[in-house]
Amino acid sequence: MAEDRKRFAVIGVSFVVLLAIGALLTFGVVYNNKPGDVETRSVTSDAMSTMKTVEAICSPTDYKTTCVNSLKGVNTTDPKELIKAGFAAGVKCIGASLKKSDALRVIEKDPRAAQALENCKELMGYSIDNLRRSLENAGHFDLNGIDEVLSNLKTWLSAALTYQETCFDGFENTTGDAGKKMKQALKTATQITSNGLAMITDFHDTLESMNMLSTGVRREMLSSDDRVPDWVPEEVVIRGLVERPAAKIKADLVMAKDGSGKYKTIKEALKDIPKKSNKTFVLYIKEGVYREQVQFNKSLTHLMVIGDGPTNTRITFNKNYVDGTPTFKTATVAVLGDFFIAKDIGFENTAGPEKHQAVALRVQSDRSVFYNCHMDGYQDTLYAHTLRQYYRNCVVSGTIDFVFGDSAAVFQNCTFLVRKPLDNQQCIVTAQGRKERRQPSAIVLQNCCILPHSSYVKNGNTKTYLGRPWKEYSRTIIMESYIDDVIDSEGWMPWAGNFGLNTCFYTEYGNTGPGAKTAGRVKWRGVKNITHQHAADFAPGRFISGNTWIPRARVPYTAGLFHAQLKVAHASARRSFV
């Protein structure tokens, strides 16, 4: 089978990837034929070739029967026609699931379950969008650019899976069987999305083993040079973003609480921002506290939002779980559009610790950048939901799981402040939500500081941990960082019993500080020791292909490991916050 896959890679790279995406999008074409129901027909050489290809690309999947059966129903050997048929079937299947959601919502008596069903409808729309762009992207590459394409595909397919899982999460603590019915309605969609991710991952691994990937680009990603590479297009570089104050940057739209801008509220300003733009649009929000819940929709691409400093320009609200809002909808600010940049802004949820889940910022923007921003809250402060995200020189404060989600998120030179929780609560910095082992997601803290907030009082009743496994394959990497003694010696906390303890991936590398001692750490199978080379794989240049998009934002950026820069950065950060 390995030889077959190699042969397919050599003679038909585009064919195999297109076919894999066709399989991925074939959500609903699962035929329940019994052995005696199979219609006798002549098998042409083309059909035999197609079946052999199907079996080869389905071999690495977890749901092989679903994979093979889904492709049996498409009677064509033309990859493009296969994709069209598969996509049409996928849309039909998702549409049926959404109708199921609508029908259940009409009869649902539990308010939380009804809201969960409404959120599922929105989330399935996001899932379809990611599958659609996977389809559109798959046909536009050659071997020289295949590494980037496969990275994109894995990221987008992983996000599609996460949106489906977020749908199911909404039914926790609800009555009735609406959650079970939605899981059943989306069962095939979930399996085929998982299969598609498996196919793309296996294909990537096969090409890598054959040295067919763009290794020159991979070497460049390891550079620690902060300069913008010569190959970054001039037209997409925002010049002087870091060096110049917000008032000196030419903004396309200005808003202010005092009336000196065009609008006084952010929601009003959204109507003047161009949709689906390929050109950066700068929204300048002047100093002030903006008490509103804001969503930058997925149509607002290449948007940059700048303020007058994270303690001067602040967006605040107080939606929370206790008062009846699902966690997914509590965010003060939600960012959906790709290539979003935020600089010098504060995001806050003021609900307080007694209101439990209350998100300050939710991000599902691919290749988004946050520089010198503050995210303040208590439980679930920053929802790093999906896709690729980069945070630099930011401050995040909270109590329980205050950085969570299933994105591929890298935090560099950021500070995490542990706030005082309720008397019966423990504090946890991260709760990463990777559901499947092939998802290219993780929370990475690099050259960061984990410190107590001024409100935090260390005592025997309250302990603080680096993270806990929200989902089975939770993955968190903390490296080259300063960890204060606010962190308990065990380091990591279970979620519930033995769940995820053997399948998670938690590691600490090159950290300093009194809380960085690993001798007393928990002895789970999922807690790993890694090498220098492995640590470099989680730096942003490699892990989120940062060299291809982060320098465009003109923010400080280190592609690889920091090494000797650590002590200076840590000392500076401690003086600022302790």
Side-chain angles (χ1 to χ4, degrees):
M1 192 61 69
E3 289 302 317
D4 284 342
R5 288 201 297 271
K6 289 184 179 181
R7 181 168 57 87
F8 292 139
V10 172
I11 67 174
V13 171
S14 297
F15 177 84
V16 176
V17 173
L18 290 172
L19 192 57
I21 298 302
L24 155 71
L25 292 171
T26 313
F27 280 91
V29 193
V30 180
Y31 293 88
N32 297 315
N33 290 340
K34 297 177 182 178
D37 295 334
V38 179
E39 187 175 322
T40 303
R41 60 188 178 89
S42 60
V43 180
T44 65
S45 59
D46 284 344
M48 292 178 64
S49 177
T50 299
M51 182 52 64
K52 189 172 183 180
T53 304
V54 167
E55 291 174 351
I57 64 174
C58 286
S59 65
T61 66
D62 292 335
Y63 307 99
K64 294 181 178 61
T65 301
T66 299
C67 180
V68 173
N69 284 344
S70 65
L71 289 174
K72 279 181 182 176
V74 184
N75 297 316
T76 178
T77 57
D78 184 337
K80 292 182 180 179
E81 293 304 314
L82 181 66
I83 291 170
K84 291 177 183 178
F87 183 69
V91 171
K92 183 178 180 180
C93 182
I94 285 288
S97 300
L98 295 180
K99 288 181 181 178
K100 182 73 170 179
S101 174
D102 287 335
L104 290 171
R105 192 168 63 253
V106 170
I107 63 174
E108 183 55 57
K109 296 180 180 179
D110 182 349
R112 286 196 183 276
Q115 290 183 75
L117 289 165
E118 181 64 31
N119 289 341
C120 279
K121 187 174 182 178
E122 179 180 341
L123 287 158
M124 288 308 98
Y126 300 146
S127 186
I128 288 174
D129 287 343
N130 277 276
L131 294 172
R132 180 177 288 116
R133 66 174 168 181
S134 297
L135 170 68
E136 293 172 349
N137 194 266
H140 301 286
F141 66 89
D142 55 29
L143 278 176
N144 291 326
I146 195 171
D147 200 3
E148 181 179 354
V149 171
L150 292 178
S151 175
N152 288 341
L153 294 176
K154 286 192 288 185
T155 298
W156 299 335
L157 300 181
S158 175
L161 269 177
T162 301
Y163 294 136
Q164 293 162 19
E165 184 69 9
T166 305
C167 164
F168 305 145
D169 287 340
F171 294 98
E172 292 180 2
N173 302 319
T174 63
T175 60
D177 58 358
K180 291 182 180 178
K181 290 180 178 178
M182 277 306 300
K183 277 193 174 184
Q184 185 60 36
L186 289 168
K187 180 179 179 181
T188 304
T190 302
Q191 290 185 355
I192 298 296
T193 309
S194 173
N195 285 346
L197 180 60
M199 294 175 198
I200 296 301
T201 301
D202 185 71
F203 185 57
H204 178 276
D205 293 345
T206 299
L207 291 182
E208 188 172 50
S209 69
M210 298 169 63
N211 297 317
M212 294 179 69
L213 298 180
S214 45
T215 54
V217 173
R218 291 176 64 85
R219 282 195 299 271
E220 183 176 326
M221 287 180 178
L222 292 176
S223 170
S224 294
D225 193 347
D226 281 348
R227 295 173 299 172
V228 177
D230 294 336
W231 46 264
V232 175
E234 289 286 336
E235 64 271 17
V236 297
V237 173
I238 305 167
R239 297 189 175 280
L241 174 61
V242 176
E243 294 82 2
R244 298 167 62 188
K248 298 290 185 180
I249 297 175
K250 183 179 180 181
D252 296 290
L253 182 62
V254 179
M255 56 168 299
K257 293 284 289 186
D258 61 10
S260 60
K262 186 174 182 180
Y263 298 109
K264 292 184 178 181
T265 69
I266 302 170
K267 284 184 178 179
E268 288 180 299
L270 296 182
K271 64 184 179 182
D272 278 357
I273 299 175
K275 308 293 190 296
K276 299 181 179 179
S277 174
N278 289 321
K279 181 181 178 182
T280 300
F281 184 94
V282 180
L283 170 64
Y284 171 30
I285 305 176
K286 287 188 174 182
E287 180 177 356
V289 177
Y290 297 82
R291 302 186 186 280
E292 53 182 310
Q293 194 172 27
V294 179
Q295 178 165 298
F296 295 103
N297 288 330
K298 60 186 177 182
S299 60
L300 302 181
T301 54
H302 291 90
L303 172 64
M304 181 172 76
V305 180
I306 57 175
D308 284 321
T311 60
N312 297 321
T313 299
R314 295 185 67 79
I315 309 171
T316 73
F317 214 67
N318 61 354
K319 285 282 188 179
N320 62 85
Y321 184 82
V322 170
D323 289 343
T325 302
T327 304
F328 176 66
K329 287 295 187 180
T330 62
T332 297
V333 175
V335 179
L336 281 62
D338 292 345
F339 295 102
F340 180 89
I341 303 170
K343 175 182 180 284
D344 294 334
I345 299 281
F347 306 93
E348 183 178 25
N349 192 307
T350 58
E354 68 279 358
K355 296 296 185 178
H356 298 289
Q357 295 96 323
V359 177
L361 175 66
R362 186 182 92 238
V363 183
Q364 56 191 72
S365 162
D366 196 17
R367 288 164 284 191
S368 51
V369 174
F370 294 83
Y371 175 71
N372 194 33
C373 292
H374 286 192
M375 300 87 178
D376 296 310
Y378 288 87
Q379 183 171 349
D380 292 357
T381 302
L382 174 57
Y383 194 174
H385 193 189
T386 57
L387 305 168
R388 291 162 288 196
Q389 306 174 16
Y390 178 70
Y391 299 81
R392 179 82 180 209
N393 293 24
C394 292
V395 178
V396 188
S397 70
T399 54
I400 299 173
D401 306 335
F402 61 93
V403 181
F404 76 113
D406 191 29
S407 64
V410 177
F411 296 81
Q412 281 190 341
N413 292 41
C414 293
T415 301
F416 300 86
L417 299 178
V418 182
R419 304 181 79 164
K420 181 182 178 181
L422 298 177
D423 290 340
N424 62 344
Q425 292 179 331
Q426 308 302 319
C427 292
I428 307 100
V429 179
T430 68
Q432 207 279 333
R434 190 169 66 140
K435 178 188 175 184
E436 296 198 2
R437 67 187 185 281
R438 297 184 182 92
Q439 289 183 281
S441 53
I443 292 172
V444 180
L445 276 56
Q446 183 188 15
N447 202 41
C448 294
C449 290
I450 301 174
L451 306 170
H453 187 268
S454 59
S455 66
Y456 185 85
V457 178
K458 188 174 182 180
N459 56 54
N461 297 324
T462 299
K463 293 184 178 181
T464 300
Y465 300 90
L466 296 172
R468 59 175 179 165
W470 180 29
K471 301 294 179 181
E472 189 172 4
Y473 290 90
S474 177
R475 183 164 62 170
T476 300
I477 297 91
I478 301 176
M479 59 187 190
E480 300 183 309
S481 294
Y482 178 89
I483 304 176
D484 197 85
D485 63 1
V486 67
I487 296 298
D488 188 79
S489 60
E490 290 188 333
W492 307 92
M493 177 183 178
W495 183 272
N498 292 324
F499 175 79
L501 304 189
N502 293 330
T503 50
C504 67
F505 184 98
Y506 289 161
T507 191
E508 302 169 61
Y509 175 81
N511 299 313
T512 60
K517 299 174 183 177
T518 58
R521 293 296 193 250
V522 292
K523 306 302 180 183
W524 309 340
R525 187 184 302 171
V527 175
K528 309 291 187 181
N529 293 319
I530 61 173
T531 64
H532 177 89
Q533 184 176 359
H534 198 176
D537 289 338
F538 293 109
R542 273 193 179 178
F543 185 59
I544 53 176
S545 303
N547 280 12
T548 65
W549 56 277
I550 295 173
R552 301 176 185 184
R554 280 285 184 175
V555 302
Y557 164 61
T558 303
L561 297 177
F562 279 77
H563 308 305
Q565 303 174 36
L566 278 170
K567 291 183 179 179
V568 174
H570 290 155
S572 176
R574 294 195 72 196
R575 284 194 296 271
S576 299
F577 292 100
V578 176

